[in-house]
Amino acid sequence: MTVGGLAAASAGLVSALRRSGIDVDVLLPDYSSATDGIIETIELDVPIWAGPAVVKVVDHPQAGRIHLVDAPGLARSDPYVQPNGQGWLDNTDRFMRYSAAIAAYVRLSQPDVLHLNDWHTATALADLDPAPPTVLSLHNLAYQGATGGDWLDLIGPRSRHYEWWGGTNPLSGAIALADRVIAVSPYHVSEITQAGQGFGLEEPLRARGNTLGGILNGIDTTVWNPEQDPHIAERFSAADLAGKQRCRQQVVDEFDLVDDNSLLAVAVTRLTDQKGIDLVLPLIELLDEIPLRLAVLGSGDRMLSQKLSAAAERSDRFAFIDGYDEALAHRLIAGGDLFLMPSRFEPCGLTQMQAMRYGTIPIVTAVGGLVDTVPDLDAHPRTGRGIVMSDISSTALVSAVHRVVRRCAGRKIDTLRKRVMSIDWSWDDPASEYIKIYRDISN
Ligand code: GLC
Protein backbone atom coordinates (compact mmCIF):
# COMPACT_ATOMS: atom_id res chain seq x y z
CA MET A 1 0.00 0.00 0.00
CA THR A 2 1.11 3.59 -0.57
CA VAL A 3 0.20 6.76 1.29
CA GLY A 4 -0.16 10.01 -0.62
CA GLY A 5 1.10 11.40 -3.88
CA LEU A 6 4.83 11.24 -3.17
CA ALA A 7 4.77 7.44 -2.98
CA ALA A 8 2.67 7.13 -6.13
CA ALA A 9 4.88 9.55 -8.04
CA SER A 10 8.11 7.88 -6.93
CA ALA A 11 6.84 4.42 -7.82
CA GLY A 12 5.74 5.60 -11.27
CA LEU A 13 9.03 7.33 -12.04
CA VAL A 14 11.12 4.40 -10.85
CA SER A 15 9.33 1.86 -13.00
CA ALA A 16 9.59 4.14 -16.05
CA LEU A 17 13.32 4.63 -15.40
CA ARG A 18 13.80 0.89 -15.08
CA ARG A 19 11.92 0.32 -18.34
CA SER A 20 14.44 2.68 -19.95
CA GLY A 21 17.27 0.48 -18.73
CA ILE A 22 18.41 2.66 -15.83
CA ASP A 23 19.67 0.80 -12.78
CA VAL A 24 17.88 2.34 -9.77
CA ASP A 25 18.33 1.57 -6.08
CA VAL A 26 15.13 2.76 -4.36
CA LEU A 27 15.60 3.72 -0.72
CA LEU A 28 12.45 3.89 1.39
CA PRO A 29 11.83 4.08 5.12
CA ASP A 30 10.90 0.66 6.51
CA TYR A 31 7.64 1.86 8.08
CA SER A 32 6.37 -1.62 8.83
CA SER A 33 9.49 -3.43 10.11
CA ALA A 34 9.60 -5.82 7.16
CA THR A 35 10.69 -9.34 8.09
CA ASP A 36 9.60 -11.35 5.02
CA GLY A 37 11.50 -11.93 1.83
CA ILE A 38 14.68 -10.12 2.82
CA ILE A 39 17.36 -10.92 0.27
CA GLU A 40 20.22 -9.11 1.96
CA THR A 41 20.76 -6.92 5.01
CA ILE A 42 23.41 -4.22 4.75
CA GLU A 43 24.78 -2.53 7.88
CA LEU A 44 25.15 1.22 7.58
CA ASP A 45 27.89 3.32 9.07
CA VAL A 46 25.87 6.14 10.63
CA PRO A 47 26.67 8.49 13.54
CA ILE A 48 25.66 7.19 16.99
CA TRP A 49 22.62 9.51 17.23
CA ALA A 50 21.23 8.08 13.99
CA GLY A 51 21.75 4.37 14.55
CA PRO A 52 21.84 1.52 14.50
CA ALA A 53 20.67 1.51 10.90
CA VAL A 54 20.51 -1.17 8.23
CA VAL A 55 19.20 -1.47 4.69
CA LYS A 56 17.06 -4.52 3.92
CA VAL A 57 16.94 -5.47 0.26
CA VAL A 58 13.51 -6.85 -0.64
CA ASP A 59 11.74 -7.89 -3.86
CA HIS A 60 8.31 -6.32 -3.61
CA PRO A 61 5.47 -7.83 -5.68
CA GLN A 62 4.42 -4.43 -7.11
CA ALA A 63 7.42 -2.16 -6.62
CA GLY A 64 10.15 -4.63 -7.64
CA ARG A 65 13.49 -4.44 -5.86
CA ILE A 66 13.48 -1.91 -3.02
CA HIS A 67 15.94 -1.00 -0.26
CA LEU A 68 14.20 -0.49 3.08
CA VAL A 69 15.99 1.64 5.65
CA ASP A 70 15.46 0.38 9.17
CA ALA A 71 16.55 2.99 11.73
CA PRO A 72 15.18 3.73 15.22
CA GLY A 73 11.68 5.23 15.19
CA LEU A 74 10.93 4.88 11.48
CA ALA A 75 8.43 2.01 11.75
CA ARG A 76 4.98 3.39 12.60
CA SER A 77 1.30 2.69 11.97
CA ASP A 78 1.27 5.71 9.63
CA PRO A 79 4.39 7.25 8.06
CA TYR A 80 3.69 10.82 9.15
CA VAL A 81 0.75 11.21 11.51
CA GLN A 82 -0.52 9.83 14.80
CA PRO A 83 -3.98 8.26 15.01
CA ASN A 84 -5.36 11.65 16.13
CA GLY A 85 -4.29 13.22 12.83
CA GLN A 86 -1.38 15.26 14.26
CA GLY A 87 2.19 14.65 13.06
CA TRP A 88 4.33 12.29 15.18
CA LEU A 89 6.15 14.40 17.77
CA ASP A 90 9.51 12.91 16.81
CA ASN A 91 9.21 13.35 13.04
CA THR A 92 12.36 15.49 12.95
CA ASP A 93 14.45 12.79 14.66
CA ARG A 94 12.96 10.08 12.51
CA PHE A 95 13.72 11.71 9.17
CA MET A 96 17.11 13.12 10.20
CA ARG A 97 18.07 9.51 11.00
CA TYR A 98 16.63 8.39 7.68
CA SER A 99 18.67 11.07 5.88
CA ALA A 100 21.84 10.02 7.71
CA ALA A 101 21.18 6.44 6.59
CA ILE A 102 20.75 7.62 2.99
CA ALA A 103 24.13 9.41 3.17
CA ALA A 104 25.77 6.24 4.55
CA TYR A 105 24.25 4.09 1.80
CA VAL A 106 25.38 6.57 -0.87
CA ARG A 107 28.95 6.39 0.47
CA LEU A 108 28.78 2.60 0.19
CA SER A 109 27.11 2.27 -3.19
CA GLN A 110 28.62 5.30 -4.98
CA PRO A 111 25.74 6.01 -7.38
CA ASP A 112 26.27 8.13 -10.52
CA VAL A 113 23.32 10.31 -9.51
CA LEU A 114 21.38 10.83 -6.29
CA HIS A 115 17.71 11.79 -6.53
CA LEU A 116 16.18 13.13 -3.31
CA ASN A 117 12.50 13.80 -2.62
CA ASP A 118 11.20 16.37 -0.14
CA TRP A 119 12.53 17.35 3.29
CA HIS A 120 12.50 13.82 4.67
CA THR A 121 15.67 13.03 2.72
CA ALA A 122 17.14 16.52 2.60
CA THR A 123 19.83 16.51 5.30
CA ALA A 124 21.60 13.63 3.52
CA LEU A 125 23.39 16.34 1.53
CA ALA A 126 24.78 17.89 4.72
CA ASP A 127 26.59 14.63 5.39
CA LEU A 128 27.91 13.99 1.86
CA ASP A 129 31.10 15.85 1.13
CA PRO A 130 31.68 15.34 -1.71
CA ALA A 131 28.17 14.42 -2.83
CA PRO A 132 27.27 12.73 -6.10
CA PRO A 133 25.45 14.88 -8.69
CA THR A 134 22.07 15.41 -7.04
CA VAL A 135 18.50 16.18 -8.12
CA LEU A 136 16.02 17.35 -5.49
CA SER A 137 12.31 17.02 -6.33
CA LEU A 138 9.92 19.29 -4.46
CA HIS A 139 6.58 17.59 -3.91
CA ASN A 140 5.23 19.87 -1.23
CA LEU A 141 6.91 23.02 0.07
CA ALA A 142 4.40 23.33 2.88
CA TYR A 143 6.45 20.70 4.72
CA GLN A 144 10.08 21.70 5.25
CA GLY A 145 11.04 19.86 8.45
CA ALA A 146 12.19 23.13 10.05
CA THR A 147 13.40 22.59 13.60
CA GLY A 148 15.81 23.81 16.27
CA GLY A 149 19.37 24.98 15.67
CA ASP A 150 20.92 22.14 17.72
CA TRP A 151 20.67 19.86 14.73
CA LEU A 152 23.30 21.92 12.91
CA ASP A 153 25.93 20.31 15.14
CA LEU A 154 24.81 16.82 14.17
CA ILE A 155 23.80 16.57 10.56
CA GLY A 156 27.23 16.77 8.95
CA PRO A 157 30.08 18.89 7.62
CA ARG A 158 27.95 20.97 5.26
CA SER A 159 25.36 21.87 7.88
CA ARG A 160 25.88 25.63 7.58
CA HIS A 161 23.79 25.57 4.39
CA TYR A 162 20.85 24.42 6.50
CA GLU A 163 20.91 27.33 8.92
CA TRP A 164 17.60 29.15 8.73
CA TRP A 165 16.70 32.07 10.99
CA GLY A 166 18.62 30.52 13.89
CA GLY A 167 17.12 27.08 13.32
CA THR A 168 17.67 24.20 10.94
CA ASN A 169 15.67 23.90 7.72
CA PRO A 170 16.27 20.61 5.88
CA LEU A 171 14.55 21.72 2.70
CA SER A 172 16.27 25.10 2.35
CA GLY A 173 19.65 23.40 2.82
CA ALA A 174 19.02 20.85 0.10
CA ILE A 175 17.64 23.56 -2.20
CA ALA A 176 20.98 25.33 -1.81
CA LEU A 177 23.14 22.20 -2.27
CA ALA A 178 21.43 20.08 -4.96
CA ASP A 179 22.67 20.43 -8.54
CA ARG A 180 19.11 20.64 -9.86
CA VAL A 181 15.88 21.48 -8.09
CA ILE A 182 12.72 20.23 -9.75
CA ALA A 183 9.16 21.22 -8.86
CA VAL A 184 6.53 18.67 -9.88
CA SER A 185 4.81 20.93 -12.43
CA PRO A 186 6.01 23.83 -14.61
CA TYR A 187 3.33 26.27 -13.44
CA HIS A 188 4.24 25.66 -9.81
CA VAL A 189 7.75 26.97 -10.54
CA SER A 190 6.28 30.33 -11.52
CA GLU A 191 4.27 30.36 -8.29
CA ILE A 192 6.95 29.41 -5.77
CA THR A 193 9.42 32.01 -6.93
CA GLN A 194 6.89 34.78 -6.29
CA ALA A 195 6.63 36.72 -3.07
CA GLY A 196 4.25 35.06 -0.65
CA GLN A 197 3.87 31.85 -2.67
CA GLY A 198 7.06 29.93 -1.94
CA PHE A 199 6.29 29.10 1.69
CA GLY A 200 9.12 31.40 2.77
CA LEU A 201 11.63 29.77 0.42
CA GLU A 202 11.17 32.21 -2.47
CA GLU A 203 14.68 33.67 -2.06
CA PRO A 204 16.69 30.41 -2.11
CA LEU A 205 14.46 29.18 -4.94
CA ARG A 206 14.98 32.32 -7.02
CA ALA A 207 18.70 32.07 -6.37
CA ARG A 208 18.73 28.80 -8.30
CA GLY A 209 18.03 30.62 -11.58
CA ASN A 210 17.80 28.15 -14.44
CA THR A 211 18.86 25.20 -12.27
CA LEU A 212 15.30 25.28 -10.92
CA GLY A 213 12.80 23.67 -13.28
CA GLY A 214 9.42 21.97 -13.41
CA ILE A 215 8.58 18.49 -14.65
CA LEU A 216 4.95 17.41 -14.55
CA ASN A 217 4.47 14.05 -12.82
CA GLY A 218 2.88 11.18 -14.66
CA ILE A 219 0.52 8.57 -13.30
CA ASP A 220 0.79 4.80 -13.40
CA THR A 221 -1.35 4.12 -16.45
CA THR A 222 -1.36 0.38 -15.83
CA VAL A 223 -2.87 0.81 -12.37
CA TRP A 224 -5.22 3.58 -13.57
CA ASN A 225 -6.70 1.96 -16.63
CA PRO A 226 -10.49 1.71 -17.06
CA GLU A 227 -10.02 -1.07 -19.61
CA GLN A 228 -8.28 -3.37 -17.12
CA ASP A 229 -9.16 -2.14 -13.65
CA PRO A 230 -9.94 -5.10 -11.35
CA HIS A 231 -11.65 -2.86 -8.77
CA ILE A 232 -14.54 -1.48 -10.82
CA ALA A 233 -18.03 -2.82 -11.56
CA GLU A 234 -17.53 -2.94 -15.32
CA ARG A 235 -14.59 -2.03 -17.48
CA PHE A 236 -14.92 0.59 -20.18
CA SER A 237 -13.04 2.57 -22.79
CA ALA A 238 -13.42 5.80 -24.76
CA ALA A 239 -14.88 3.75 -27.61
CA ASP A 240 -17.46 2.06 -25.38
CA LEU A 241 -18.63 4.03 -22.38
CA ALA A 242 -21.50 1.73 -21.37
CA GLY A 243 -19.51 0.30 -18.46
CA LYS A 244 -19.07 3.75 -16.97
CA GLN A 245 -22.83 4.00 -16.38
CA ARG A 246 -22.69 0.69 -14.47
CA CYS A 247 -19.81 2.02 -12.39
CA ARG A 248 -21.81 5.14 -11.56
CA GLN A 249 -24.88 3.09 -10.62
CA GLN A 250 -22.75 0.91 -8.40
CA VAL A 251 -21.50 3.95 -6.45
CA VAL A 252 -25.03 5.35 -6.16
CA ASP A 253 -26.28 2.00 -4.79
CA GLU A 254 -23.30 1.42 -2.51
CA PHE A 255 -23.74 4.77 -0.78
CA ASP A 256 -27.49 4.90 -0.95
CA LEU A 257 -27.61 8.15 -2.86
CA VAL A 258 -30.88 9.39 -4.33
CA ASP A 259 -31.40 7.53 -7.59
CA ASP A 260 -32.20 10.29 -10.07
CA ASN A 261 -30.30 11.06 -13.23
CA SER A 262 -28.26 13.96 -11.90
CA LEU A 263 -24.50 14.18 -12.32
CA LEU A 264 -22.37 12.39 -9.75
CA ALA A 265 -19.39 14.37 -8.45
CA VAL A 266 -16.65 12.63 -6.48
CA ALA A 267 -13.55 13.66 -4.54
CA VAL A 268 -10.73 11.40 -3.37
CA THR A 269 -8.36 13.30 -1.16
CA ARG A 270 -6.36 13.87 1.96
CA LEU A 271 -8.32 16.10 4.33
CA THR A 272 -5.84 18.92 4.77
CA ASP A 273 -6.19 22.63 4.33
CA GLN A 274 -4.27 22.30 1.05
CA LYS A 275 -7.02 20.28 -0.60
CA GLY A 276 -9.81 22.80 0.08
CA ILE A 277 -12.44 20.15 0.83
CA ASP A 278 -13.94 22.44 3.49
CA LEU A 279 -15.12 24.54 0.52
CA VAL A 280 -17.63 21.82 -0.41
CA LEU A 281 -19.53 22.16 2.90
CA PRO A 282 -21.71 25.08 1.69
CA LEU A 283 -22.25 23.23 -1.61
CA ILE A 284 -23.70 20.24 0.25
CA GLU A 285 -26.36 22.50 1.75
CA LEU A 286 -27.41 23.49 -1.79
CA LEU A 287 -27.69 19.99 -3.23
CA ASP A 288 -31.48 20.06 -3.20
CA GLU A 289 -31.37 22.97 -5.62
CA ILE A 290 -28.52 21.90 -7.90
CA PRO A 291 -28.92 18.69 -9.91
CA LEU A 292 -25.89 17.00 -8.43
CA ARG A 293 -24.90 14.16 -6.09
CA LEU A 294 -21.58 14.06 -4.31
CA ALA A 295 -19.40 11.36 -2.73
CA VAL A 296 -16.17 12.21 -0.88
CA LEU A 297 -13.51 9.70 0.23
CA GLY A 298 -10.86 11.17 2.47
CA SER A 299 -8.95 11.02 5.70
CA GLY A 300 -6.95 13.41 7.81
CA ASP A 301 -8.18 16.48 9.68
CA ARG A 302 -10.56 15.34 12.43
CA MET A 303 -12.73 18.43 12.58
CA LEU A 304 -13.33 18.41 8.87
CA SER A 305 -14.18 14.70 8.81
CA GLN A 306 -16.69 15.24 11.63
CA LYS A 307 -18.36 18.05 9.71
CA LEU A 308 -18.50 15.97 6.54
CA SER A 309 -19.96 12.99 8.44
CA ALA A 310 -22.63 15.20 10.00
CA ALA A 311 -23.52 16.68 6.61
CA ALA A 312 -23.77 13.18 5.11
CA GLU A 313 -26.28 12.17 7.79
CA ARG A 314 -28.54 15.06 6.83
CA SER A 315 -28.44 14.56 3.06
CA ASP A 316 -29.42 11.77 0.66
CA ARG A 317 -27.43 13.48 -2.07
CA PHE A 318 -24.10 13.43 -0.25
CA ALA A 319 -21.96 10.55 1.04
CA PHE A 320 -18.73 10.78 3.00
CA ILE A 321 -16.38 7.87 3.55
CA ASP A 322 -13.78 8.56 6.21
CA GLY A 323 -10.61 6.70 5.35
CA TYR A 324 -8.18 5.73 2.67
CA ASP A 325 -9.18 2.79 0.52
CA GLU A 326 -7.44 2.11 -2.76
CA ALA A 327 -10.19 -0.07 -4.27
CA LEU A 328 -12.90 2.43 -3.32
CA ALA A 329 -10.81 5.25 -4.81
CA HIS A 330 -10.91 3.38 -8.11
CA ARG A 331 -14.67 2.75 -7.86
CA LEU A 332 -15.41 6.43 -7.16
CA ILE A 333 -13.12 7.77 -9.87
CA ALA A 334 -14.60 5.31 -12.38
CA GLY A 335 -18.21 6.00 -11.36
CA GLY A 336 -18.00 9.78 -11.13
CA ASP A 337 -19.15 12.19 -13.82
CA LEU A 338 -17.21 15.03 -12.21
CA PHE A 339 -14.10 15.15 -10.03
CA LEU A 340 -13.83 17.97 -7.48
CA MET A 341 -10.37 19.29 -6.61
CA PRO A 342 -10.70 22.77 -5.08
CA SER A 343 -7.06 22.88 -3.87
CA ARG A 344 -5.63 26.01 -2.26
CA PHE A 345 -2.27 25.00 -3.71
CA GLU A 346 -1.28 21.92 -5.66
CA PRO A 347 2.35 21.25 -6.59
CA CYS A 348 1.18 18.76 -9.22
CA GLY A 349 -1.87 16.75 -8.23
CA LEU A 350 -2.30 13.21 -9.49
CA THR A 351 -5.99 12.47 -8.93
CA GLN A 352 -7.18 14.95 -11.58
CA MET A 353 -5.14 12.99 -14.12
CA GLN A 354 -6.45 9.67 -12.81
CA ALA A 355 -9.99 11.07 -13.06
CA MET A 356 -9.55 12.20 -16.67
CA ARG A 357 -8.26 8.77 -17.61
CA TYR A 358 -11.67 7.45 -16.52
CA GLY A 359 -13.60 10.16 -18.36
CA THR A 360 -14.43 11.96 -15.13
CA ILE A 361 -14.44 15.71 -15.74
CA PRO A 362 -12.38 17.75 -13.27
CA ILE A 363 -13.45 20.95 -11.50
CA VAL A 364 -10.28 22.58 -10.21
CA THR A 365 -8.74 25.78 -8.91
CA ALA A 366 -6.18 27.72 -10.98
CA VAL A 367 -3.14 26.58 -9.02
CA GLY A 368 0.03 24.55 -9.64
CA GLY A 369 -0.21 21.40 -11.71
CA LEU A 370 -3.95 21.88 -12.08
CA VAL A 371 -3.23 24.81 -14.42
CA ASP A 372 -0.90 22.63 -16.49
CA THR A 373 -3.35 19.73 -16.77
CA VAL A 374 -6.88 21.21 -16.90
CA PRO A 375 -7.56 23.96 -19.46
CA ASP A 376 -11.00 25.49 -18.91
CA LEU A 377 -13.80 24.44 -21.22
CA ASP A 378 -15.26 27.89 -21.73
CA ALA A 379 -11.90 29.55 -22.35
CA HIS A 380 -10.79 26.71 -24.68
CA PRO A 381 -13.91 25.17 -26.23
CA ARG A 382 -11.97 22.79 -28.49
CA THR A 383 -9.25 21.67 -26.13
CA GLY A 384 -10.73 22.34 -22.67
CA ARG A 385 -10.78 19.47 -20.24
CA GLY A 386 -12.72 20.72 -17.26
CA ILE A 387 -13.87 23.72 -15.29
CA VAL A 388 -11.42 26.08 -13.62
CA MET A 389 -12.89 27.96 -10.66
CA SER A 390 -12.59 31.74 -10.84
CA ASP A 391 -11.11 31.88 -7.35
CA ILE A 392 -10.64 29.70 -4.29
CA SER A 393 -13.97 29.96 -2.52
CA SER A 394 -17.22 28.10 -1.99
CA THR A 395 -19.02 30.67 -4.13
CA ALA A 396 -16.65 29.99 -7.01
CA LEU A 397 -17.14 26.24 -6.51
CA VAL A 398 -20.91 26.59 -6.69
CA SER A 399 -20.61 28.74 -9.85
CA ALA A 400 -18.27 26.16 -11.37
CA VAL A 401 -20.81 23.41 -10.67
CA HIS A 402 -23.54 25.42 -12.37
CA ARG A 403 -21.24 25.96 -15.33
CA VAL A 404 -20.38 22.26 -15.61
CA VAL A 405 -24.01 21.20 -15.37
CA ARG A 406 -24.75 23.39 -18.41
CA ARG A 407 -21.67 22.19 -20.24
CA CYS A 408 -22.32 18.52 -19.64
CA ALA A 409 -26.00 18.44 -20.53
CA GLY A 410 -27.20 15.53 -22.66
CA ARG A 411 -24.62 13.82 -24.83
CA LYS A 412 -22.10 16.64 -24.67
CA ILE A 413 -20.48 14.96 -21.70
CA ASP A 414 -19.60 11.87 -23.75
CA THR A 415 -17.69 13.93 -26.32
CA LEU A 416 -15.80 15.54 -23.49
CA ARG A 417 -15.14 12.21 -21.77
CA LYS A 418 -13.60 10.84 -24.96
CA ARG A 419 -11.40 13.90 -25.24
CA VAL A 420 -9.96 13.63 -21.74
CA MET A 421 -9.62 9.84 -21.89
CA SER A 422 -7.30 10.07 -24.89
CA ILE A 423 -4.59 12.08 -23.10
CA ASP A 424 -1.31 10.31 -22.36
CA TRP A 425 -0.50 10.78 -18.67
CA SER A 426 2.11 8.03 -18.54
CA TRP A 427 5.52 8.49 -16.98
CA ASP A 428 7.33 8.01 -20.31
CA ASP A 429 7.84 11.72 -21.12
CA PRO A 430 8.55 12.91 -17.56
CA ALA A 431 11.02 10.04 -17.09
CA SER A 432 12.89 11.08 -20.27
CA GLU A 433 13.11 14.62 -18.92
CA TYR A 434 14.57 13.36 -15.65
CA ILE A 435 17.02 11.13 -17.54
CA LYS A 436 18.19 14.14 -19.53
CA ILE A 437 18.85 15.99 -16.28
CA TYR A 438 20.70 13.01 -14.77
CA ARG A 439 22.92 13.01 -17.87
CA ASP A 440 23.49 16.78 -17.80
CA ILE A 441 24.61 16.83 -14.20
CA SER A 442 26.76 13.72 -14.29
CA ASN A 443 28.81 14.72 -17.34
C1 GLC B 1 2.33 16.01 -2.99
C2 GLC B 1 1.61 17.22 -3.61
C3 GLC B 1 0.87 16.84 -4.88
C4 GLC B 1 1.79 16.06 -5.81
C5 GLC B 1 2.42 14.87 -5.09
C6 GLC B 1 3.38 14.09 -5.97
O1 GLC B 1 1.40 15.11 -2.46
O2 GLC B 1 0.71 17.78 -2.69
O3 GLC B 1 0.40 17.99 -5.55
O4 GLC B 1 1.05 15.58 -6.91
O5 GLC B 1 3.12 15.33 -3.96
O6 GLC B 1 4.39 14.91 -6.48
Side-chain angles (χ1 to χ4, degrees):
M1 142 174 176
T2 61
V3 177
L6 169 58
S10 308
L13 175 60
V14 167
S15 54
L17 291 174
R18 284 179 171 160
R19 279 198 301 278
S20 307
I22 305 229
D23 179 15
V24 194
D25 280 0
V26 185
L27 261 71
L28 296 168
D30 183 11
Y31 291 123
S32 59
S33 293
T35 49
D36 290 348
I38 299 170
I39 294 167
E40 189 188 354
T41 302
I42 306 164
E43 307 250 332
L44 295 176
D45 186 10
V46 293
I48 291 178
W49 64 266
V54 298
V55 159
K56 302 174 192 166
V57 184
V58 172
D59 276 332
H60 185 272
Q62 280 96 41
R65 178 149 301 187
I66 51 176
H67 289 56
L68 295 173
V69 171
D70 186 350
L74 276 180
R76 288 288 154 86
S77 53
D78 179 279
Y80 312 121
V81 296
Q82 312 176 42
N84 69 7
Q86 302 294 309
W88 296 107
L89 298 178
D90 59 348
N91 271 347
T92 305
D93 305 60
R94 296 173 67 224
F95 292 108
M96 297 290 194
R97 284 189 207 111
Y98 177 51
S99 299
I102 295 171
Y105 184 74
V106 166
R107 274 191 291 272
L108 264 183
S109 63
Q110 306 267 326
D112 297 324
V113 171
L114 171 64
H115 189 155
L116 298 175
N117 293 285
D118 277 357
W119 79 266
H120 312 86
T121 62
T123 52
L125 282 186
D127 197 18
L128 286 167
D129 194 13
T134 302
V135 179
L136 170 70
S137 287
L138 303 173
H139 298 266
N140 199 329
L141 285 175
Y143 304 96
Q144 300 174 13
T147 183
D150 302 352
W151 283 98
L152 295 171
D153 300 331
L154 297 176
I155 54 177
R158 299 205 289 174
S159 68
R160 68 186 172 82
H161 297 276
Y162 291 77
E163 197 175 334
W164 187 251
W165 302 102
T168 309
N169 186 323
L171 203 55
S172 72
I175 286 172
L177 290 173
D179 296 276
R180 289 295 172 85
V181 179
I182 302 294
V184 285
S185 68
Y187 190 77
H188 197 45
V189 177
S190 63
E191 294 173 328
I192 59 182
T193 44
Q194 266 169 53
Q197 292 192 61
F199 299 85
L201 298 178
E202 297 81 348
E203 281 301 317
L205 286 166
R206 270 204 290 263
R208 298 299 322 219
N210 60 8
T211 58
L212 167 68
I215 299 179
L216 188 74
N217 286 327
I219 57 170
D220 190 329
T221 47
T222 56
V223 173
W224 297 97
N225 180 358
E227 292 178 49
Q228 281 170 15
D229 193 325
H231 302 296
I232 63 179
E234 191 174 316
R235 295 172 190 170
F236 58 94
S237 65
D240 182 2
L241 285 165
K244 184 155 175 86
Q245 305 312 322
R246 279 275 321 280
C247 291
R248 186 222 275 170
Q249 191 61 43
Q250 195 255 333
V251 172
V252 168
D253 294 344
E254 181 171 351
F255 298 107
D256 226 356
L257 292 167
V258 136
D259 202 359
D260 60 14
N261 242 343
S262 58
L263 294 173
L264 173 66
V266 300
V268 175
T269 181
R270 287 181 285 122
L271 300 179
T272 59
D273 193 52
Q274 172 188 349
K275 298 293 181 179
I277 291 300
D278 51 298
L279 300 176
V280 308
L281 287 166
L283 174 68
I284 299 166
E285 304 304 324
L286 296 176
L287 286 180
D288 284 333
E289 289 153 44
I290 306 174
L292 189 78
R293 294 163 291 177
L294 173 61
V296 175
L297 166 66
S299 65
D301 185 283
R302 263 284 176 78
M303 271 211 321
L304 183 52
S305 63
Q306 281 165 1
K307 283 186 190 156
L308 291 166
S309 300
E313 285 199 3
R314 292 194 299 271
S315 172
D316 57 2
R317 309 190 73 90
F318 173 60
F320 170 60
I321 308 93
D322 188 353
Y324 176 81
D325 177 337
E326 189 85 28
L328 180 54
H330 283 249
R331 292 205 295 284
L332 289 176
I333 285 176
D337 296 302
L338 309 172
F339 188 81
L340 299 193
M341 201 160 175
S343 304
R344 293 193 165 85
F345 66 93
E346 198 59 78
C348 175
L350 303 173
T351 43
Q352 82 279 18
M353 298 190 250
Q354 294 161 357
M356 285 187 268
R357 185 127 162 94
Y358 287 71
T360 306
I361 310 304
I363 297 182
V364 301
T365 44
V367 295
L370 301 176
V371 172
D372 291 315
T373 53
V374 187
D376 183 82
L377 273 167
D378 285 316
H380 307 272
R382 282 164 192 282
T383 52
R385 297 169 181 171
I387 298 286
V388 180
M389 291 160 54
S390 56
D391 59 54
I392 305 173
S393 68
S394 292
T395 321
L397 179 60
V398 173
S399 309
V401 168
H402 279 295
R403 201 143 67 85
V404 86
V405 168
R406 263 203 321 278
R407 273 268 164 199
C408 293
R411 303 206 61 80
K412 278 193 273 181
I413 193 165
D414 279 351
T415 314
L416 188 54
R417 285 197 215 285
K418 290 183 182 163
R419 182 187 299 170
V420 298
M421 287 175 82
S422 67
I423 308 163
D424 175 12
W425 300 114
S426 77
W427 267 100
D428 296 347
D429 289 346
S432 326
E433 288 188 58
Y434 273 110
I435 292 171
K436 190 172 171 310
I437 289 176
Y438 300 154
R439 295 228 162 90
D440 285 353
I441 60 175
S442 55
N443 277 329

